[in-house]
Amino acid sequence: MATASPITDPIGFWSDQISRTTKRSLNLTRHLLGIDRAKTGATPRDPVWSSGKATLHRYRPDRSSSAEPVGPPVLLVMSLVSRSFILDLQPGNSFVEHLLGRGFDVFLLDWGVPDEDDAGNTLEYYVDGLLPQAVDVVDRLGGGEGVTVFGYCYGGLLSLLYAAGHPDDPIRNLVVMATPVDFDHMPPAMSGVGAGGIDPDHVIDSTGNVPAATVRASFALLTPTADLTTVADFWERLDNDQFLTNYQAMTSWTRDHIPFPGAAFKQTVELFNDGNGFVNDRLPLGGRQVHLSDITVPFLNVIAEKDHIVPSPSTTPLTPLVGSDDVTELLLPAGHVGLIIGNRGRTQCMPAMSDWMLAHSSVGGAEPAARSTGATTKKSKAAKQASKASGRDEAASRSASSGKG
Amino acid sequence: MSTPLWRQMYNAWEKTVSPPLQELTASTGFRDLMALGLRTNAEIAREVERLSRQWLHLWNLPAATDVRKLRKQVAGLERELLALRLELQRREATGASGAAAGADRHLVATNGNGTGNGASHTAA
């Protein structure tokens, strides 16, 4: 929109200025008073199972969608340190909504907000305790055709450990998104704990957890001027209603982290920061060793090219470590959160991921999990085609079969 | 619409300041400084907690740490219960043959100190 010149068109200029200032004042008042705030996590859902603070939600199907129901159901596994509504940010800007629109039966495993009762929750509590139960419930409610487990960020780590430690569970496909495995390539603010750096015990507070403020500060340290830039953006574009709605939704997520259960945190530091356990195949869990090579189901590794929280060099080593014959790597031109929100997420990233999932699902009816080599090889080709088709301009899909079949 | 002058100035400032700031926060010196700050903070908190606990115990009153200890124990028991329930479900699912096979796995008891506990299955 061109702005009128104060010299050639003074009336137009001042009328534009007055109109913008009025709009800014109204929006600022609306924002400060909390009137008509952006709705987050608005897709209708029902709790279907819970244990401790964890709740499994099932989203209601999208009745307006013309897509046929697709199986198996998808279980979204969230990180331990952030709120799960990022996966269902706003109507029209939601990964859950996208999946429902394509016919998937979508479940979300929300770990809840830990307090001092949860300080002793270990990785085993989540990986061997809660996840198998949640997958079992999803499998039963989904008709027994298996489950597509979809882990985001730290949720991806939990999903990997679970799939590796429970190879006989009804996992049909495994998708991990922005999931770090090579901790040597993590930003110092993330990898600085342990290994002669910051003592993990000094990060844990009197409740036994890493406080939410510390989690937020560690993210803020990655881009020290980001908060200030967000304020500048807010002030500059305050007259834009859509911007304000998006701003409120996004900041309500980025500024609202949750505590990290102390025992799981210390274990994470030991496993990954100290020993780089995923890359070196040293993953002790509940007194046994688990191996990524034991994951044999179709596998998709989604990498965000512009991720500053989990840089791509920390995620790419994962693909060849998994034992599946059908392995696909999707390198998408987005940031850590941009994969599932915003224009690029909606037009490129989400379709690329759901295309792969569709290619590894069956439309309409249940089909038992296919794990034979022949079936997965065929599926791998389909996945590559789907990835290529959805890659469009920038989405680079790199099939990483890498001599695995 | 053209970018306002203040924003242009901010962008120029941000472009200049951001890279060295990021470099600083990623440096080992900064990490060491943070480690020192966190250690000092933890030591002060521990000392304050110790003094307030002693004072409260002097009057036979429970301190927050006592309540916390109890809550931790209850939470530990809950986790142990979850582990037992899972083991029971697993044994029920595998039946008689599973019961024999289950002998090679045992549950790790909850020690209640916040580490190494949980609903864990262990292969012996």
Side-chain angles (χ1 to χ4, degrees):
Chain A
M1 188 170 68
T3 314
S5 160
I7 296 158
T8 56
D9 182 12
I11 296 173
F13 174 79
W14 286 109
S15 136
D16 180 52
Q17 289 296 311
I18 291 166
S19 151
R20 281 192 67 201
T21 308
T22 310
K23 188 81 191 154
R24 287 166 66 86
S25 308
L26 281 171
N27 277 348
L28 184 63
T29 312
R30 180 161 75 101
H31 177 69
L32 292 176
L33 296 179
I35 300 166
D36 195 21
R37 287 192 82 86
K39 278 188 191 141
T40 53
T43 307
R45 63 184 189 180
D46 303 293
V48 290
W49 171 85
S50 69
S51 178
K53 291 194 176 63
T55 309
L56 179 66
H57 299 276
R58 184 184 204 175
Y59 287 91
R60 294 180 199 160
D62 182 358
R63 305 239 177 260
S64 64
S65 167
S66 56
E68 276 193 76
V70 175
V74 179
L75 172 62
L76 303 173
V77 181
M78 198 46 206
S79 164
L80 286 179
V81 292
S82 49
R83 304 262 181 191
S84 61
F85 70 80
I86 189 65
L87 296 170
D88 180 28
L89 192 63
Q90 296 163 275
N93 192 16
S94 155
F95 185 48
V96 167
E97 203 180 74
H98 171 81
L99 292 177
L100 291 172
R102 299 207 76 176
F104 289 101
D105 187 3
V106 184
F107 292 76
L108 170 75
L109 183 53
D110 185 341
W111 304 113
V113 182
D115 57 25
E116 46 194 79
D117 293 349
D118 304 290
N121 291 354
T122 55
L123 288 177
E124 288 86 353
Y125 175 75
Y126 297 102
V127 172
D128 292 339
L130 299 183
L131 259 169
Q133 290 186 88
V135 167
D136 186 48
V137 172
V138 174
D139 183 41
R140 274 190 285 115
L141 291 173
E145 51 176 330
V147 178
T148 293
V149 177
F150 189 113
Y152 177 35
C153 191
Y154 193 91
L157 286 183
L158 297 175
S159 304
L160 283 170
L161 289 173
Y162 162 63
H166 298 260
D168 296 328
D169 276 17
I171 309 169
R172 175 94 166 259
N173 305 301
L174 177 63
V175 183
V176 294
M177 181 171 75
T179 297
V181 289
D182 189 347
F183 278 67
D184 287 344
H185 288 103
M186 283 296 274
M190 302 283 168
S191 58
V193 184
I198 296 165
D199 185 338
D201 280 322
H202 294 157
V203 184
I204 292 170
D205 70 3
S206 58
T207 66
N209 298 319
V210 179
T214 307
V215 175
R216 177 165 149 57
S218 67
F219 285 113
L221 277 177
L222 299 174
T223 44
T225 53
D227 277 356
L228 215 52
T229 304
T230 309
V231 175
D233 286 342
F234 171 77
W235 193 248
E236 188 190 352
R237 302 179 64 188
L238 192 53
D239 55 335
N240 183 327
D241 291 342
Q242 188 55 50
F243 169 80
L244 183 64
T245 307
N246 294 344
Y247 171 87
Q248 287 178 337
M250 202 51 219
T251 50
S252 68
W253 185 74
T254 52
R255 293 180 182 170
D256 190 17
H257 286 282
I258 55 177
F260 195 159
F265 168 71
K266 284 167 79 171
Q267 225 176 336
T268 305
V269 171
E270 277 167 32
L271 271 181
F272 310 130
N273 285 10
D274 290 350
N276 212 4
F278 274 118
V279 174
N280 297 320
D281 194 25
R282 279 201 300 267
L283 296 171
L285 193 74
R288 67 196 193 275
Q289 283 288 332
V290 299
H291 306 281
L292 294 181
S293 55
D294 289 339
I295 298 174
T296 54
V297 294
F299 176 75
L300 173 65
N301 183 18
V302 182
I303 300 164
E305 207 176 21
K306 297 169 185 168
D307 198 333
H308 71 287
I309 296 171
V310 179
S312 56
S314 70
T315 52
T316 40
L318 170 63
T319 316
L321 295 172
V322 171
S324 315
D325 290 327
D326 178 356
V327 183
T328 307
E329 188 176 280
L330 262 180
L331 183 68
L332 296 168
H336 193 71
V337 187
L339 286 168
I340 45 165
I341 62 160
N343 280 338
R344 189 161 282 178
R346 195 165 47 243
T347 56
Q348 292 181 14
C349 306
M350 291 194 267
M353 290 185 265
S354 58
D355 279 351
W356 185 92
M357 287 154 73
L358 274 177
H360 289 77
S361 303
S362 40
V363 177
E367 183 187 283
R371 292 187 190 175
S372 71
T373 314
T376 50
T377 307
K378 245 188 224 174
K379 281 184 176 180
S380 185
K381 283 177 186 165
K384 283 176 210 166
Q385 282 165 0
S387 301
K388 272 183 194 168
S390 62
R392 296 188 181 94
D393 300 326
E394 295 168 277
S397 166
R398 285 194 275 135
S399 173
S401 296
S402 57
K404 286 188 165 190
Chain B
M1 195 180 295
S2 59
T3 311
L5 183 66
W6 69 267
R7 185 62 205 250
Q8 288 175 35
M9 285 166 68
Y10 172 81
N11 288 348
W13 172 82
E14 203 266 346
K15 212 172 168 183
T16 319
V17 166
S18 192
L21 259 182
Q22 276 186 37
E23 212 170 291
L24 176 76
T25 55
S27 66
T28 47
F30 185 82
R31 191 187 69 174
D32 293 344
L33 201 67
M34 265 188 44
L36 181 70
L38 286 164
R39 193 172 67 220
T40 311
N41 184 48
E43 276 168 14
I44 291 170
R46 199 166 38 240
E47 195 56 27
V48 169
E49 185 275 319
R50 189 182 65 81
L51 288 170
S52 62
R53 177 165 37 89
Q54 279 179 350
W55 174 251
L56 286 164
H57 284 178
L58 198 66
W59 302 98
N60 206 24
L61 290 169
T65 37
D66 301 318
V67 179
R68 204 166 283 143
K69 213 176 278 176
L70 282 172
R71 286 183 68 169
K72 214 174 248 186
Q73 282 174 357
V74 173
L77 282 171
E78 278 174 3
R79 277 190 293 274
E80 203 172 345
L81 207 63
L82 171 73
L84 284 167
R85 200 169 65 223
L86 288 174
E87 182 65 9
L88 202 66
Q89 279 173 1
R90 196 185 61 77
R91 283 180 187 230
E92 272 172 7
T94 50
S97 58
D104 69 338
R105 300 174 95 185
H106 67 273
L107 288 166
V108 173
T110 315
N111 59 24
N113 67 0
T115 54
N117 52 6
S120 42
H121 290 109
T122 311

